[in-house]
Amino acid sequence: MTGEAYPLTFEEESIWISEQLFRRRSPYLETWAQRIEGPLDPEALRRAWDAFVLRHAALRTRFLLEDGGTVQRFAPEPPSEMEREQWPGGELEAVLREAGRRPLDLTRSPYRATLYKRSPLDHVLLVQVHHIIVDDVSLSILTEELGALYNAQVTGEPPALPPLAGDPGAYAVAQRAAGVSPAALDFWADYLADVTPLPQLPPYPRPQPPRRGPGTDMVSVVLPAETRKAVRDTARALRTTPHVVFAATMAMTFSATVEVEDVVLGTPTSRRGAAELDRMFGCLTDLMPLRVHVPRTMSFAEACATTKKNVLTTLRHRQTPYAAISSNLRSAQSLRSSDNLARVVLVIDDDPGELVLPGLRCERVYVGAAWPKFDWCQYVVESGDEYLVRADYATGCFTPEEAERMLAQWATVVAAVTADTTVTPGRLGELLGSPATTP
């Protein structure tokens, strides 16, 4: 095989092991899609994409089983070409979601790029990429650099891109050499001691299926400018961050609607921060369990203080791999699988920016997950003066109406707690309707 072999990073290893359980239905297929209107030069876009792949070694990674272990090798050339297809017809998001479900063979290529032609002045670029080599920061890098590289192709001027300081192989070697701290594992075992799986999820109490199932769908809502201002003002008044406000709001929603007072949320944490990692394309993000205890008599201000303390405490141990945390739980009987540790995930993202191609109008198309990673995965993205909120949900856990109701309840709680930080889950339950009643 071409290229030197390197070990997998802890983040990659966790995803790789989970991947083996799903066969062709991988929940780790990510999609980045752009609708491009105007006189696009498809050949220039193809060259720009190839230049981007050559620039970032992660996109040239092959994951191989050799001598009883899994290694990654970086090929010198792009492992696959950009596909060019006529638009097959049909609703935009539905077609892209179905295309995003096509399996990727990680022994050959961790991505697939397809340019669809809807008309001479209307194209759609779909990049299907495996989560094992990508995180949200990576998608922002893709948005920024692909635009610069396309501009270079059509103008003949060199792209104004900073040099890359980091190397994925060196990062993997350094991470393995550092290992996992036994003290950090002890911390997480104590932090999650006696935690139990969520017995139910909003919007109302009802039995949960024993297994998640393969179906997924997406719901979304926009929090307007006045809500964004209220969130930021509340965070400032409580001496915390919007991230803490949103996490505490999620916990309050659980306590108010299904009377669950001990909530564990999965929250992505980045291992970037060093100069050599900030521009590296790759998966440098892992889950971190955030445990929030919210009795029904606790005020939102108190819930924020508790959440803030937990966030600061857990961040000191953010280098610990999620797989190691879940496998090292002392209360193994109460959590028989890592699925139960993070059934609900909350992702707070910055605005990823816009793809800028000269003479063209580009718009990001969100198509949702191919298969469900979690029962409920909610994204809150700050975009201009608004928050764009969407949630991928497992259809085995929620009907479309239930998913709409859950997101609406959370948005209602956001408005309520930012208007009055003394509000309690008990009072919120009255606002949202009796938690003991099902539709």
Side-chain angles (χ1 to χ4, degrees):
M1 273 293 176
T2 303
E4 183 179 354
Y6 290 91
L8 271 60
T9 66
F10 291 134
E11 298 90 344
E12 291 169 341
E13 182 181 57
S14 176
I15 295 172
W16 172 266
I17 293 172
S18 297
E19 175 85 353
Q20 309 315 303
L21 304 176
F22 293 99
R23 297 185 180 181
R24 292 177 63 86
R25 287 181 174 176
S26 171
Y28 299 106
L29 301 177
E30 308 290 341
T31 54
W32 179 88
Q34 296 280 343
R35 185 172 183 180
I36 306 171
E37 296 179 294
L40 174 71
D41 183 337
E43 187 58 25
L45 183 63
R46 181 196 64 77
R47 293 194 301 268
W49 172 255
D50 284 349
F52 183 74
V53 175
L54 288 172
R55 177 172 161 84
H56 294 284
L59 288 158
R60 295 179 275 107
T61 308
R62 295 176 178 177
F63 294 87
L64 306 164
L65 191 62
E66 297 181 1
D67 299 326
T70 306
V71 300
Q72 54 181 329
R73 291 181 180 271
F74 305 109
E77 299 294 331
S80 61
E81 295 184 355
M82 178 180 287
E83 300 174 357
R84 302 266 292 273
E85 295 187 12
Q86 288 293 129
W87 185 251
E91 192 268 334
L92 183 64
E93 286 82 2
V95 171
L96 294 178
R97 175 174 293 185
E98 188 61 31
R101 289 176 172 172
R102 292 178 293 173
L104 289 170
D105 182 355
L106 291 177
T107 67
R108 302 185 63 183
S109 175
Y111 74 84
R112 179 186 293 110
T114 307
L115 181 64
Y116 294 96
K117 182 179 179 181
R118 303 183 70 180
S119 76
L121 298 178
D122 188 0
H123 293 78
V124 178
L125 173 62
L126 173 65
V127 176
Q128 185 188 17
V129 60
H130 201 284
H131 183 40
I132 201 169
I133 66 151
V134 72
D135 58 14
D136 289 334
V137 173
S138 299
L139 294 181
S140 295
I141 293 172
L142 167 59
T143 302
E144 175 189 344
E145 294 192 359
L146 186 62
L149 290 165
Y150 177 85
N151 183 70
Q153 290 294 328
V154 297
T155 65
E157 300 177 358
L161 296 177
L164 297 179
D167 175 80
Y171 171 68
V173 170
Q175 191 187 54
R176 289 290 173 175
V180 180
S181 165
L185 289 176
D186 288 341
F187 161 80
W188 284 110
D190 291 340
Y191 178 74
L192 295 168
D194 302 321
V195 70
T196 57
L198 290 171
Q200 58 226 353
L201 298 174
Y204 56 84
R206 80 276 196 207
Q208 290 295 296
R211 299 186 65 84
R212 183 175 297 122
T216 186
D217 208 339
M218 182 178 72
V219 289
S220 62
V221 68
V222 176
L223 301 186
E226 55 266 29
T227 302
R228 174 181 174 273
K229 181 179 184 302
V231 168
R232 296 175 73 86
D233 289 347
T234 300
R236 190 178 302 109
L238 297 178
R239 301 177 66 84
T240 188
T241 65
H243 187 171
V244 168
V245 170
F246 284 129
T249 300
M250 182 70 79
M252 293 280 281
T253 304
F254 274 75
S255 185
T257 54
V258 294
E259 299 186 357
V260 175
E261 298 183 349
D262 191 11
V263 179
V264 177
L265 302 175
T267 58
T269 181
S270 175
R271 303 216 167 101
R272 298 176 188 268
E276 66 271 17
L277 301 181
D278 286 344
R279 298 292 305 183
M280 184 187 297
F281 191 100
C283 182
L284 281 78
T285 299
D286 206 353
L287 275 185
M288 183 177 71
L290 177 63
R291 187 176 185 180
V292 185
H293 186 62
V294 189
R296 287 177 62 78
T297 56
M298 176 180 279
S299 73
F300 179 71
E302 293 170 325
C304 273
T306 297
T307 305
K308 176 183 176 180
K309 179 181 178 180
N310 281 339
V311 167
L312 293 175
T313 300
T314 55
L315 278 176
R316 289 197 289 268
H317 304 278
R318 69 188 179 102
Q319 299 294 338
T320 312
Y322 178 77
I325 294 172
S326 59
S327 64
N328 191 56
L329 287 175
R330 291 171 185 159
S331 52
Q333 186 174 1
S334 67
L335 286 172
R336 293 179 183 147
S337 79
S338 60
D339 278 354
N340 287 325
L341 184 55
R343 292 175 58 190
V344 175
V345 170
L346 180 64
V347 184
I348 311 298
D349 274 343
D350 295 327
D351 189 337
E354 297 181 355
L355 178 64
V356 178
L357 304 180
L360 302 168
R361 179 181 179 274
C362 303
E363 180 182 3
R364 176 81 183 268
V365 182
Y366 293 96
V367 298
W371 310 104
K373 293 189 192 74
F374 312 102
D375 293 356
W376 182 270
C377 185
Q378 182 169 317
Y379 300 84
V380 182
V381 181
E382 190 169 17
S383 179
D385 292 335
E386 301 174 328
Y387 286 114
L388 306 181
V389 185
R390 69 185 193 279
D392 295 323
Y393 66 91
T395 55
C397 300
F398 300 91
T399 65
E401 294 76 18
E402 290 169 350
E404 291 278 2
R405 185 178 177 188
M406 177 165 172
L407 193 58
Q409 285 180 334
W410 175 84
T412 298
V413 173
V414 170
V417 299
T418 53
D420 178 6
T421 60
T422 68
V423 69
T424 64
R427 285 166 55 194
L428 289 171
E430 297 172 3
L431 174 66
L432 297 174
S434 172
T437 304
T438 59

